[in-house]
Amino acid sequence: MERKELLYEGRDKKVYATDDPEKLIVSYKDDAIAQNGKKKGTIRGKGVINNRITNVLMQLLEKQGIPTHFVQQLDERETVVRKARMIPLKVIVRNIVAGSLSTRVGQPEGTRLKSTILEYRYKDDVLGDPLINQYHAFALEICTPEELATIDRYALRANGILKECLQELDITLVDFKLEFGRLSDGTIVLADEISPDTSRFWDTRTGEKLDKDRFRRDLGGTEDAYQEVLNRLIGSM
Ligand code: 5GP
């Protein structure tokens, strides 16, 4: 697979064209950004760790019947993925109150939820990714009702699979964010990443945060926490 021109550079990743029109190469960076760009830094080794963690989890979900964009890891930082037209939605799944939900509903972090919450944010940096609901998504033609039904089904199934897998590693899946895309034939696939950058992982025994909140809240030890998640995942295979 030959890497061609840079198509897009985001906060955490670069995306390159390849000699295959249906495939892209994603390259994970060490840059870290939080608070919609207000907090910037570098988490040494983050790109390498998130590439590995994402690929392990994507393959696990694919095996359990959730179509993903994953094709093949190329090297430490780079992965071949299927080209998809991204749907500008952040789909957030929550099992426990944390982060913005804690502020929004005035419940302390760590509060158990009676049932799983699904949230959608409209992906737009300038607007700060506003929270929307399904009516907005259809009316604004972000996706169709059929597509959203598929997305919801995949997101909830992914939650079940990931929660169970992580629980065995003494990691509590508090919440996480997914993004989806359409292949050229319209098939919905899970894309982007699933990593400590995009999820909240708490050590089940100690309650220690093993995710990007360490960076967001200046707790230190961010890289070690990410590495710990990867070690537990690899140790389980
Ligand atoms: P919250 O809404 O509490 O800030 O985030 C909920 C979950 O979604 C967290 O696991 C968080 O990491 C993830 N998430 C939501 N939006 C973003 C985003 O813009 N970037 C990243 N890296 N994660 C996000």
Side-chain angles (χ1 to χ4, degrees), residues 11-12 90 92 94 98-101 104 119 121 129 175-177 197-200 212 216:
R11 297 167 177 187
D12 305 294
K90 291 183 172 178
I92 295 163
R94 300 181 183 271
S100 71
L101 180 66
R104 202 181 330 136
E119 289 172 357
R121 286 184 179 276
D129 301 335
D175 56 33
F176 60 103
K177 185 254 312 171
D197 265 359
T198 61
S199 317
R200 287 197 173 92
K212 195 174 176 185
R216 295 185 185 110

Side-chain angles (χ1 to χ4, degrees), residues 119-160:
E119 289 172 357
Y120 313 108
R121 286 184 179 276
Y122 176 47
K123 230 181 116 114
D124 185 305
D125 277 346
V126 176
L127 301 177
D129 301 335
L131 207 54
I132 60 166
N133 66 28
Q134 63 271 45
Y135 294 97
H136 298 89
F138 307 150
L140 298 168
E141 296 188 284
I142 294 168
C143 61
T144 67
E146 293 72 29
E147 286 175 330
L148 198 64
T150 303
I151 287 171
D152 287 359
R153 195 156 40 82
Y154 290 163
L156 293 173
R157 203 192 303 168
N159 184 44

Side-chain angles (χ1 to χ4, degrees), residues 78-98:
E78 299 200 343
T79 293
V80 181
V81 299
R82 292 200 275 180
K83 186 173 184 170
R85 280 173 298 125
M86 293 302 291
I87 297 170
L89 272 187
K90 291 183 172 178
V91 179
I92 295 163
V93 185
R94 300 181 183 271
N95 298 305
I96 295 174
V97 174

Side-chain angles (χ1 to χ4, degrees), residues 50-228:
N50 282 352
N51 188 32
R52 282 296 296 284
I53 292 177
T54 295
N55 292 343
V56 168
L57 296 178
M58 288 278 181
Q59 287 174 90
L60 171 73
L61 296 177
E62 184 89 50
K63 252 193 268 166
Q64 306 268 347
I66 298 174
T68 77
H69 73 165
F70 175 80
V71 177
Q72 179 199 357
Q73 184 164 322
L74 271 189
D75 63 27
E76 275 197 321
R77 266 178 206 281
E78 299 200 343
T79 293
V80 181
V81 299
R82 292 200 275 180
K83 186 173 184 170
R85 280 173 298 125
M86 293 302 291
I87 297 170
L89 272 187
K90 291 183 172 178
V91 179
I92 295 163
V93 185
R94 300 181 183 271
N95 298 305
I96 295 174
V97 174
S100 71
L101 180 66
S102 169
T103 317
R104 202 181 330 136
V105 299
Q107 297 260 347
E109 288 206 315
T111 307
R112 294 258 157 200
L113 292 165
K114 191 161 188 317
S115 52
T116 307
I117 294 178
L118 261 189
E119 289 172 357
Y120 313 108
R121 286 184 179 276
Y122 176 47
K123 230 181 116 114
D124 185 305
D125 277 346
V126 176
L127 301 177
D129 301 335
L131 207 54
I132 60 166
N133 66 28
Q134 63 271 45
Y135 294 97
H136 298 89
F138 307 150
L140 298 168
E141 296 188 284
I142 294 168
C143 61
T144 67
E146 293 72 29
E147 286 175 330
L148 198 64
T150 303
I151 287 171
D152 287 359
R153 195 156 40 82
Y154 290 163
L156 293 173
R157 203 192 303 168
N159 184 44
I161 297 163
L162 295 173
K163 217 165 46 168
E164 188 183 319
C165 157
L166 293 166
Q167 197 57 60
E168 282 172 24
L169 311 175
D170 280 326
I171 296 172
T172 302
L173 180 59
V174 175
D175 56 33
F176 60 103
K177 185 254 312 171
L178 298 176
E179 294 185 28
F180 293 86
R182 304 173 183 100
L183 299 181
S184 52
D185 67 357
T187 306
I188 300 285
V189 290
L190 176 59
D192 197 56
E193 66 178 286
I194 312 170
S195 72
D197 265 359
T198 61
S199 317
R200 287 197 173 92
F201 296 144
W202 292 353
D203 186 292
T204 308
R205 274 183 282 190
T206 64
E208 193 189 356
K209 296 186 197 310
L210 302 173
D211 57 55
K212 195 174 176 185
D213 276 346
R214 301 204 72 86
F215 171 76
R216 295 185 185 110
R217 302 178 189 186
D218 293 319
L219 301 175
T222 309
E223 193 210 341
D224 289 347
Y226 283 35
Q227 186 66 52
E228 177 63 23

